[in-house]
């Protein structure tokens, strides 16, 4: 795509093959924010469709971080892929470019454990806050690790604060 | 009259003598007020069951109330997640005695196809279930059959015995019914690895979280 090549002039990137025909570019972690900013400002990719990751466990580098961008004017898409190792799974946040990416980065952190630097509110989105695991990692067991942890904690509190006058039945 | 087998009837038919248990149970079983806990697709079948085509009004259970204070039959219709489990238990606690629970569909009976970290593997691990209804989702007729079976079950209860023994007024604080105990499915999930699990034989398996019970 000529527009993208012009926008990314001077950046290091490699073209990747995709089966769905969307042009994809692999960039290094250091260049990620610069590439995304250029794509937004110079190539009219004003919207981010998704921020997600793929776990290639057990090969290393383990994670592939995907940003898919959409241009409303040209009606085309582009995908930016960044490879991250397990030990150092962090990347620059793109919330300053697209505020809507905040939730997607939070979900990505929740499910894969990838930290986004510059994200102001990087908390878990779906799993309980104190849950120590990342469910979409390939080495997470399918049936979960202690899925009832939050409920058990709540149940203990409930028994402690049990008020018979508010419960049905007991007098 | 159904189960209210008259022991003695006067010649003019204006009086009937029977056992108190039978009278109370007769009243309870023929006016069940369901609390429709519609959590997913089973909820649609539940609506069909309440509607005019299947019509549970024929069995006296048509007064669906969305307040737990006004209902005595909880129909758990659908996939119960661990996040929703707290709400489900809270609603159950707020229902006045006597109360019954129907687990509608495989998801609420056993977790169904969702052998997952997010789903409760059977609502019987957090609620005392009376009737299980198989199906995914069950047809409305199956749930009506479950209500008929529950009516038979209510017939066998003895409310007066419960009343005079004081059992009905026991503070639930110390009772086992109030205590959550993880069922076998939950315990297994933290230990077992399936043969397809890439973790098998790997050196950096994640540490299981510390038990906080």
């Amino acid at each position: 795509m000529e527009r993208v090549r012009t926008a990314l002039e001077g950046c290091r990137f490699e073209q990747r093959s995709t089966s769905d025909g969307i042009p994809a570019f692999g960039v290094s972690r250091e260049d990620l924010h610069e590439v995304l900013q250029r794509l937004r400002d110079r190539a009219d990719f004003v919207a981010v469709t998704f921020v997600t990751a793929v776990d290639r466990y057990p090969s290393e580098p383990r994670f592939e971080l995907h940003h898919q961008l959409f241009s409303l004017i040209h009606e085309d898409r582009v995908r930016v892929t960044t490879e991250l190792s397990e030990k150092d799974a962090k990347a620059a946040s793109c919330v300053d470019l697209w505020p809507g990416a905040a939730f997607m980065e939070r979900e990505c952190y929740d499910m894969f454990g990838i930290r986004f630097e510059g994200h102001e509110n990087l908390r878990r989105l779906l799993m309980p806050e104190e849950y120590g695991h990342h469910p979409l990692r390939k080495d997470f067991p399918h049936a979960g690790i202690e899925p009832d942890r939050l409920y058990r904690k709540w149940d203990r509190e409930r028994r402690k604060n049990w008020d018979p006058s508010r419960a049905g039945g007991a007098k | 009259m159904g189960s209210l087998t008259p022991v003695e009837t006067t010649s003019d038919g204006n009086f009937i003598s029977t056992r108190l248990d039978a009278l109370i149970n007769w009243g309870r079983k023929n006016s069940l007020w369901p609390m429709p806990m519609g959590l997913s697709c089973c909820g649609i079948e539940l609506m069909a069951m309440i509607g005019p085509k299947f019509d549970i009004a024929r069995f006296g259970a048509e007064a669906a109330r969305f307040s737990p204070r006004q209902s005595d039959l909880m129909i758990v219709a659908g996939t119960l997640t661990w996040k929703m489990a707290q709400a489900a238990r809270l609603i159950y606690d707020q229902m006045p005695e006597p109360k019954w629970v129907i687990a509608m569909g495989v998801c609420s009976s056993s977790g169904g196809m969702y052998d997952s970290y997010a789903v409760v593997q059977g609502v019987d691990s957090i609620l005392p279930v009376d009737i299980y209804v198989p199906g995914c989702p069950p047809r409305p007729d199956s749930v009506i059959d479950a209500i008929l079976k529950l009516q038979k079950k209510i017939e066998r209860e003895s409310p007066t015995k419960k009343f005079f023994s004081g059992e009905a007024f026991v503070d639930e604080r110390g009772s086992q019914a109030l205590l959550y105990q993880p069922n076998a499915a939950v315990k297994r999930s933290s230990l077992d690895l399936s043969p397809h699990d890439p973790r098998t034989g790997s050196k950096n398996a994640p540490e299981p979280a510390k038990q906080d019970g």
Side-chain angles (χ1 to χ4, degrees):
Chain A
M1 205 194 294
E2 200 49 49
R3 205 170 85 250
V4 176
R5 286 185 188 285
T6 324
L8 294 186
E9 212 154 24
C11 285
R12 282 172 299 147
F13 65 88
E14 56 170 58
Q15 187 136 20
R16 288 175 157 241
S17 62
T18 50
S19 55
D20 55 2
I22 296 175
F25 300 95
V27 301
S28 71
R29 194 177 64 183
E30 290 73 29
D31 296 343
L32 176 65
H33 194 269
E34 172 72 17
V35 166
L36 291 175
Q37 184 148 26
R38 284 192 189 200
L39 287 173
R40 188 191 71 160
D41 295 340
R42 301 187 193 175
D44 303 323
F45 288 102
V46 291
V48 58
T49 313
F50 60 71
V51 179
T52 187
V54 177
D55 188 1
R56 298 286 184 201
Y57 185 81
S59 67
E60 192 67 34
R62 183 172 167 176
F63 298 109
E64 279 176 12
L65 184 64
H66 293 278
H67 289 73
Q68 181 164 312
L69 313 179
F70 180 59
S71 168
L72 293 168
I73 303 167
H74 304 279
E75 290 186 33
D76 53 5
R77 294 171 172 81
V78 71
R79 201 176 292 144
V80 179
T81 304
T82 318
E83 288 184 342
L84 302 171
S85 67
E86 182 181 3
K87 288 232 172 65
D88 200 21
K90 56 187 173 190
S93 169
C94 63
V95 176
D96 52 336
L97 305 175
W98 299 280
F103 271 121
M104 294 184 262
E105 289 185 352
R106 272 181 69 183
E107 186 182 357
C108 199
Y109 163 69
D110 191 0
M111 291 293 149
F112 293 98
I114 296 170
R115 279 176 293 284
F116 290 89
E117 289 172 328
H119 194 295
E120 286 180 0
N121 189 23
L122 196 65
R123 288 180 295 124
R124 280 176 174 272
L125 183 65
L126 298 166
M127 297 303 288
E129 193 64 36
E130 66 268 36
Y131 195 71
H133 309 278
H134 302 287
L136 281 190
R137 286 191 173 188
K138 285 282 192 288
D139 53 359
F140 183 83
H142 182 51
I145 299 168
E146 277 196 294
D148 59 337
R149 200 171 173 193
L150 189 71
Y151 182 82
R152 216 159 62 207
K153 192 177 163 198
W154 176 83
D155 192 63
R156 226 179 305 123
E157 287 295 308
R158 186 177 65 91
R159 262 181 287 146
K160 213 193 293 173
N161 306 326
W162 180 256
D163 181 3
S165 65
R166 284 183 61 76
K171 299 285 182 298
Chain B
M1 264 316 166
S3 63
L4 202 60
T5 44
V7 178
E8 207 177 279
T9 318
T10 53
S11 54
D12 56 358
N14 285 335
F15 291 94
I16 172 176
S17 63
T18 179
R19 291 178 300 118
L20 186 57
D21 267 353
L23 183 69
I24 292 172
N25 285 342
W26 174 74
R28 282 179 177 177
K29 83 178 177 104
N30 288 313
S31 72
L32 288 167
W33 289 41
M35 150 85 218
M37 185 95 193
L39 296 171
S40 55
C41 34
C42 279
I44 304 296
E45 299 296 308
L46 190 70
M47 289 172 220
M49 180 181 83
I50 295 170
K53 195 154 183 176
F54 290 93
D55 193 16
I56 49 171
R58 294 178 290 157
F59 310 102
E62 81 281 15
R65 284 290 176 277
F66 295 91
S67 161
R69 301 283 184 196
Q70 299 171 351
S71 46
D72 54 8
L73 167 64
M74 188 185 211
I75 303 179
V76 185
T79 320
L80 187 71
T81 57
W82 279 111
K83 259 195 174 177
M84 191 65 191
Q86 302 176 6
R89 180 69 218 204
L90 197 66
I91 289 169
Y92 178 79
D93 282 345
Q94 288 173 347
M95 281 164 61
E97 291 276 0
K99 50 191 171 186
W100 300 276
V101 178
I102 290 179
M104 176 181 174
V106 282
C107 289
S108 52
S109 298
S110 70
M113 65 173 182
Y114 299 107
D115 185 12
S116 147
Y117 62 93
V119 175
V120 180
Q121 302 297 306
V123 292
D124 48 4
S125 59
I126 66 159
L127 300 172
V129 177
D130 291 284
I131 309 278
Y132 298 86
V133 188
C136 184
R139 281 186 58 84
D141 338 26
S142 317
V143 193
I144 289 174
D145 182 53
I147 286 178
L148 292 178
K149 284 201 164 66
L150 181 66
Q151 289 183 346
K152 291 225 168 64
K153 190 175 177 179
I154 293 171
E155 261 176 41
R156 295 197 298 270
E157 287 181 358
S158 48
T160 50
K161 194 176 161 194
K162 234 179 165 182
F163 182 88
F164 288 116
S165 70
E167 200 187 315
F169 306 119
V170 170
D171 184 354
E172 283 191 49
R173 185 192 286 272
S175 84
Q176 286 297 102
L178 196 70
L179 218 133
Y180 164 67
Q181 286 171 326
N183 65 10
V186 172
K187 224 179 263 170
R188 171 181 57 80
S189 63
S190 66
L191 301 169
D192 265 16
L193 298 175
S194 72
H196 310 294
D197 199 303
R199 229 167 66 156
T200 318
S202 90
K203 49 194 181 303
N204 47 3
E207 290 267 309
K210 250 174 111 185
Q211 295 280 330
D212 60 336

